[in-house]
Coordinates of all heavy atoms in Angstrom, one line a residue:
R1258 N -27.9 -7.1 0.5 CA -28.7 -5.9 0.6 C -28.4 -5.3 1.9 O -28.5 -5.8 3.0 CB -30.2 -6.4 0.7 CG -31.2 -5.3 0.8 CD -32.6 -5.6 0.4 NE -32.7 -6.0 -1.0 CZ -32.6 -5.2 -2.1 NH1 -32.4 -4.0 -2.0 NH2 -32.7 -5.8 -3.3
V1259 N -27.8 -4.0 1.9 CA -27.4 -3.3 3.1 C -28.6 -2.7 3.7 O -29.6 -2.2 2.9 CB -26.3 -2.3 2.7 CG1 -26.9 -1.2 1.8 CG2 -25.7 -1.7 3.9
K1260 N -28.7 -2.6 5.0 CA -29.8 -1.9 5.8 C -29.8 -0.4 5.3 O -28.7 0.2 5.2 CB -29.5 -2.0 7.2 CG -29.8 -3.4 7.8 CD -29.5 -3.4 9.3 CE -29.7 -4.9 9.8 NZ -29.3 -4.9 11.3
H1261 N -30.9 0.1 5.3 CA -31.0 1.6 4.9 C -30.2 2.5 5.8 O -30.2 2.3 7.1 CB -32.4 2.1 4.9 CG -32.6 3.5 4.5 ND1 -32.5 3.9 3.1 CD2 -32.9 4.6 5.2 CE1 -32.7 5.2 3.1 NE2 -32.9 5.6 4.3
G1262 N -29.3 3.3 5.2 CA -28.5 4.2 6.0 C -27.2 3.7 6.6 O -26.5 4.3 7.3
M1263 N -26.9 2.3 6.3 CA -25.8 1.8 6.9 C -24.6 1.4 6.0 O -23.7 0.7 6.4 CB -26.2 0.3 7.5 CG -27.3 0.5 8.6 SD -26.8 1.5 10.0 CE -25.6 0.4 10.8
E1264 N -24.7 2.0 4.8 CA -23.6 1.7 3.8 C -22.3 2.3 4.3 O -21.3 1.5 4.1 CB -24.0 2.3 2.4 CG -22.9 1.9 1.4 CD -23.2 2.6 0.0 OE1 -24.3 2.9 -0.2 OE2 -22.2 2.7 -0.8
A1265 N -22.3 3.4 4.9 CA -21.0 4.0 5.3 C -20.4 3.1 6.5 O -19.1 2.9 6.5 CB -21.2 5.4 5.8
E1266 N -21.2 2.6 7.3 CA -20.7 1.7 8.4 C -20.2 0.5 7.8 O -19.2 -0.1 8.3 CB -21.8 1.4 9.4 CG -22.3 2.7 10.2 CD -21.2 3.3 11.0 OE1 -20.3 2.6 11.6 OE2 -21.0 4.6 11.1
L1267 N -20.9 -0.1 6.9 CA -20.5 -1.3 6.2 C -19.1 -1.1 5.5 O -18.2 -1.9 5.6 CB -21.4 -1.8 5.2 CG -21.1 -3.1 4.3 CD1 -20.8 -4.3 5.2 CD2 -22.2 -3.3 3.3
S1268 N -19.0 0.0 4.8 CA -17.7 0.3 4.1 C -16.6 0.5 5.1 O -15.5 0.1 4.9 CB -17.9 1.6 3.3 OG -16.8 1.9 2.6
K1269 N -16.9 1.1 6.3 CA -15.8 1.3 7.3 C -15.4 -0.1 7.8 O -14.2 -0.3 8.0 CB -16.4 2.2 8.4 CG -15.4 2.6 9.4 CD -16.0 3.1 10.7 CE -16.4 4.3 11.0 NZ -16.9 4.8 12.2
E1270 N -16.4 -0.9 8.1 CA -16.0 -2.2 8.5 C -15.2 -3.0 7.5 O -14.2 -3.7 7.9 CB -17.3 -3.0 8.9 CG -17.0 -4.4 9.5 CD -16.3 -4.4 10.8 OE1 -16.6 -3.5 11.6 OE2 -15.5 -5.3 11.1
M1271 N -15.5 -2.9 6.3 CA -14.8 -3.7 5.2 C -13.4 -3.0 5.0 O -12.5 -3.8 4.6 CB -15.6 -3.7 4.0 CG -16.9 -4.5 4.0 SD -17.9 -4.5 2.6 CE -16.9 -5.4 1.5
A1272 N -13.2 -1.8 5.2 CA -11.9 -1.2 5.1 C -10.8 -1.8 5.9 O -9.6 -1.8 5.6 CB -12.1 0.3 5.4
H1273 N -11.2 -2.4 7.1 CA -10.3 -3.1 7.9 C -9.6 -4.3 7.2 O -8.5 -4.7 7.5 CB -11.0 -3.7 9.2 CG -11.4 -2.5 10.1 ND1 -12.7 -2.3 10.4 CD2 -10.7 -1.5 10.7 CE1 -12.8 -1.2 11.2 NE2 -11.6 -0.8 11.4
Y1274 N -10.3 -4.9 6.2 CA -9.8 -6.0 5.5 C -8.5 -5.7 4.8 O -7.6 -6.6 4.5 CB -10.8 -6.5 4.5 CG -11.9 -7.4 5.1 CD1 -12.7 -6.9 6.1 CD2 -12.1 -8.7 4.6 CE1 -13.7 -7.7 6.7 CE2 -13.2 -9.4 5.1 CZ -14.0 -8.9 6.1 OH -15.0 -9.7 6.7
E1275 N -8.3 -4.4 4.4 CA -7.1 -4.0 3.6 C -5.8 -4.2 4.5 O -4.8 -4.5 3.9 CB -7.2 -2.5 3.2 CG -8.2 -2.2 2.2 CD -8.3 -0.8 1.8 OE1 -7.3 0.0 1.9 OE2 -9.4 -0.3 1.4
S1276 N -5.9 -4.1 5.8 CA -4.7 -4.2 6.6 C -4.4 -5.6 7.0 O -3.3 -5.9 7.5 CB -4.9 -3.4 7.9 OG -6.0 -3.9 8.7
L1277 N -5.3 -6.6 6.7 CA -5.1 -8.0 7.0 C -4.2 -8.6 6.0 O -4.2 -8.3 4.8 CB -6.4 -8.7 7.1 CG -7.4 -8.2 8.1 CD1 -8.8 -8.9 7.9 CD2 -7.0 -8.2 9.5
K1278 N -3.4 -9.6 6.4 CA -2.6 -10.3 5.5 C -3.1 -11.7 5.4 O -2.6 -12.8 5.9 CB -1.2 -10.4 6.1 CG -0.5 -9.0 6.4 CD -0.4 -8.2 5.1 CE 0.4 -6.9 5.4 NZ 0.0 -5.8 4.6
I1279 N -4.3 -11.8 4.6 CA -4.9 -13.1 4.4 C -4.3 -13.9 3.3 O -4.2 -13.3 2.2 CB -6.4 -12.9 4.2 CG1 -7.1 -12.1 5.2 CG2 -7.0 -14.2 3.8 CD1 -8.5 -11.7 5.0
P1280 N -3.7 -15.0 3.6 CA -3.0 -15.8 2.6 C -3.9 -16.0 1.3 O -5.0 -16.5 1.4 CB -2.6 -17.1 3.3 CG -2.6 -16.7 4.7 CD -3.7 -15.7 4.9
G1281 N -3.3 -15.7 0.1 CA -3.9 -16.0 -1.1 C -4.9 -14.8 -1.5 O -5.4 -14.8 -2.7
F1282 N -5.3 -13.9 -0.7 CA -6.2 -12.8 -1.0 C -5.6 -12.0 -2.1 O -4.5 -11.5 -2.1 CB -6.5 -12.0 0.2 CG -7.4 -10.7 -0.1 CD1 -8.7 -10.9 -0.3 CD2 -6.9 -9.5 -0.1 CE1 -9.5 -9.9 -0.6 CE2 -7.6 -8.4 -0.4 CZ -8.9 -8.6 -0.7
V1283 N -6.5 -11.6 -3.1 CA -6.1 -10.8 -4.3 C -6.8 -9.5 -4.2 O -6.2 -8.4 -4.3 CB -6.3 -11.5 -5.6 CG1 -5.9 -10.6 -6.8 CG2 -5.4 -12.8 -5.7
S1284 N -8.1 -9.5 -4.2 CA -8.9 -8.2 -4.3 C -10.4 -8.4 -3.9 O -10.9 -9.5 -3.8 CB -8.9 -7.7 -5.7 OG -9.6 -8.6 -6.6
T1285 N -11.0 -7.3 -3.5 CA -12.4 -7.2 -3.3 C -12.9 -6.0 -4.1 O -12.3 -4.9 -4.0 CB -12.8 -6.9 -1.8 OG1 -12.2 -8.1 -1.1 CG2 -14.2 -6.8 -1.6
T1286 N -14.0 -6.1 -4.8 CA -14.7 -5.1 -5.6 C -16.1 -5.1 -5.2 O -16.8 -6.1 -5.2 CB -14.5 -5.2 -7.0 OG1 -13.1 -5.3 -7.4 CG2 -15.1 -4.1 -7.8
V1287 N -16.6 -3.9 -4.7 CA -18.0 -3.8 -4.4 C -18.8 -2.8 -5.3 O -18.3 -1.7 -5.6 CB -18.2 -3.3 -2.9 CG1 -19.6 -3.2 -2.5 CG2 -17.4 -4.2 -1.9
Y1288 N -19.9 -3.3 -5.8 CA -20.8 -2.5 -6.7 C -22.0 -2.1 -6.0 O -22.6 -2.9 -5.4 CB -21.1 -3.4 -8.0 CG -20.0 -3.9 -8.8 CD1 -19.3 -5.0 -8.5 CD2 -19.6 -3.2 -9.9 CE1 -18.2 -5.5 -9.2 CE2 -18.6 -3.7 -10.7 CZ -17.9 -4.8 -10.4 OH -16.9 -5.3 -11.1
R1289 N -22.5 -0.8 -6.2 CA -23.8 -0.4 -5.7 C -24.6 -0.3 -6.9 O -24.3 0.4 -8.0 CB -23.7 1.0 -5.0 CG -25.1 1.5 -4.6 CD -25.1 2.8 -3.9 NE -23.8 3.2 -3.2 CZ -23.0 4.2 -3.6 NH1 -23.2 5.0 -4.6 NH2 -22.0 4.4 -2.9
M1290 N -25.7 -0.9 -7.0 CA -26.7 -0.9 -8.1 C -27.4 0.4 -8.3 O -27.9 1.0 -7.3 CB -27.7 -2.0 -8.0 CG -27.1 -3.4 -7.9 SD -26.2 -3.9 -9.4 CE -24.6 -3.5 -9.0
D1291 N -27.4 0.9 -9.5 CA -28.1 2.1 -9.8 C -29.6 2.0 -9.5 O -30.2 3.0 -9.0 CB -28.0 2.5 -11.4 CG -26.7 2.9 -11.8 OD1 -25.8 3.3 -10.9 OD2 -26.4 2.9 -13.0
R1292 N -30.2 0.9 -9.7 CA -31.6 0.7 -9.5 C -32.1 0.8 -8.0 O -33.3 1.0 -7.7 CB -32.2 -0.6 -10.2 CG -31.7 -1.8 -9.5 CD -32.2 -3.0 -10.3 NE -31.5 -4.2 -9.8 CZ -30.6 -4.8 -10.4 NH1 -30.1 -4.4 -11.6 NH2 -30.0 -5.9 -9.9
D1293 N -31.1 0.4 -7.1 CA -31.4 0.4 -5.7 C -30.1 0.6 -4.9 O -29.3 -0.4 -4.9 CB -32.1 -1.0 -5.4 CG -32.4 -1.2 -4.0 OD1 -32.0 -0.3 -3.1 OD2 -33.0 -2.1 -3.5
P1294 N -29.9 1.7 -4.4 CA -28.6 2.0 -3.6 C -28.3 1.0 -2.5 O -27.2 1.0 -2.0 CB -28.7 3.4 -3.3 CG -30.1 3.7 -3.2 CD -30.8 2.8 -4.3
N1295 N -29.3 0.3 -2.0 CA -29.2 -0.6 -0.9 C -28.8 -2.0 -1.4 O -28.5 -2.9 -0.6 CB -30.4 -0.7 -0.1 CG -30.6 0.6 0.6 OD1 -29.7 1.2 1.1 ND2 -31.9 0.9 0.7
E1296 N -28.7 -2.2 -2.8 CA -28.4 -3.5 -3.3 C -26.9 -3.4 -3.8 O -26.5 -2.6 -4.5 CB -29.3 -3.8 -4.5 CG -29.0 -5.2 -5.2 CD -30.0 -5.4 -6.4 OE1 -30.6 -4.5 -6.8 OE2 -30.0 -6.6 -6.7
L1297 N -26.1 -4.4 -3.2 CA -24.7 -4.5 -3.5 C -24.3 -5.8 -4.1 O -24.9 -6.8 -3.7 CB -23.9 -4.2 -2.3 CG -24.2 -3.0 -1.4 CD1 -23.4 -2.9 -0.1 CD2 -23.9 -1.7 -2.2
Y1298 N -23.3 -5.8 -4.9 CA -22.7 -7.0 -5.3 C -21.1 -6.9 -5.0 O -20.5 -5.8 -5.2 CB -22.8 -7.2 -6.8 CG -24.1 -7.7 -7.2 CD1 -25.1 -6.8 -7.5 CD2 -24.3 -9.1 -7.4 CE1 -26.4 -7.2 -7.8 CE2 -25.7 -9.5 -7.8 CZ -26.6 -8.6 -8.0 OH -27.8 -9.1 -8.4
M1299 N -20.6 -7.9 -4.4 CA -19.2 -7.9 -4.0 C -18.5 -9.1 -4.7 O -19.0 -10.2 -4.6 CB -19.1 -8.1 -2.5 CG -17.7 -8.1 -2.0 SD -17.6 -8.2 -0.1 CE -18.3 -9.8 0.2
A1300 N -17.4 -8.8 -5.4 CA -16.6 -9.8 -5.9 C -15.3 -9.9 -5.2 O -14.6 -8.9 -5.1 CB -16.3 -9.5 -7.4
V1301 N -14.9 -11.1 -4.8 CA -13.7 -11.3 -4.0 C -12.9 -12.4 -4.8 O -13.3 -13.4 -5.2 CB -14.0 -11.8 -2.6 CG1 -12.7 -12.0 -1.8 CG2 -15.0 -10.9 -1.9
A1302 N -11.6 -12.1 -4.9 CA -10.7 -13.0 -5.6 C -9.5 -13.4 -4.7 O -9.0 -12.7 -3.9 CB -10.1 -12.3 -6.9
F1303 N -9.2 -14.7 -4.9 CA -8.1 -15.4 -4.2 C -7.2 -16.0 -5.3 O -7.6 -16.3 -6.4 CB -8.6 -16.4 -3.2 CG -9.0 -15.9 -1.8 CD1 -10.2 -15.2 -1.8 CD2 -8.1 -15.9 -0.7 CE1 -10.6 -14.7 -0.5 CE2 -8.5 -15.4 0.4 CZ -9.7 -14.8 0.6
T1304 N -5.9 -16.3 -4.9 CA -5.0 -16.9 -5.9 C -5.4 -18.3 -6.3 O -5.2 -18.7 -7.4 CB -3.6 -17.0 -5.3 OG1 -3.6 -17.7 -4.1 CG2 -3.0 -15.6 -5.1
D1305 N -6.1 -19.0 -5.4 CA -6.6 -20.3 -5.7 C -7.7 -20.8 -4.8 O -8.0 -20.1 -3.8 CB -5.3 -21.3 -5.6 CG -4.7 -21.3 -4.2 OD1 -5.3 -21.4 -3.2 OD2 -3.5 -21.0 -4.2

């Protein structure tokens, strides 16, 4: 649950992850719920 009005800041912070070379990292997907824009689900995948 993101603080009201902080989604852009959260997204900016998470964008830094793209430049990191974390061993085994595959992907991150973030969903914003229609019923509540402050409710997020994040799916993160690693090779193992």
Side-chain angles (χ1 to χ4, degrees):
R1258 182 161 301 284
V1259 67
K1260 291 178 182 173
H1261 182 73
M1263 300 301 287
E1264 184 182 338
E1266 293 299 321
L1267 175 62
S1268 182
K1269 187 194 278 186
E1270 183 63 37
M1271 291 177 68
H1273 292 118
Y1274 282 55
E1275 291 180 26
S1276 64
L1277 302 174
K1278 303 295 184 216
I1279 298 171
F1282 173 75
V1283 175
S1284 66
T1285 297
T1286 304
V1287 180
Y1288 299 82
R1289 180 184 326 116
M1290 298 297 97
D1291 288 342
R1292 67 180 170 258
D1293 179 353
N1295 293 321
E1296 183 180 14
L1297 306 175
Y1298 284 85
M1299 176 176 67
V1301 181
F1303 278 78
T1304 54
D1305 54 59

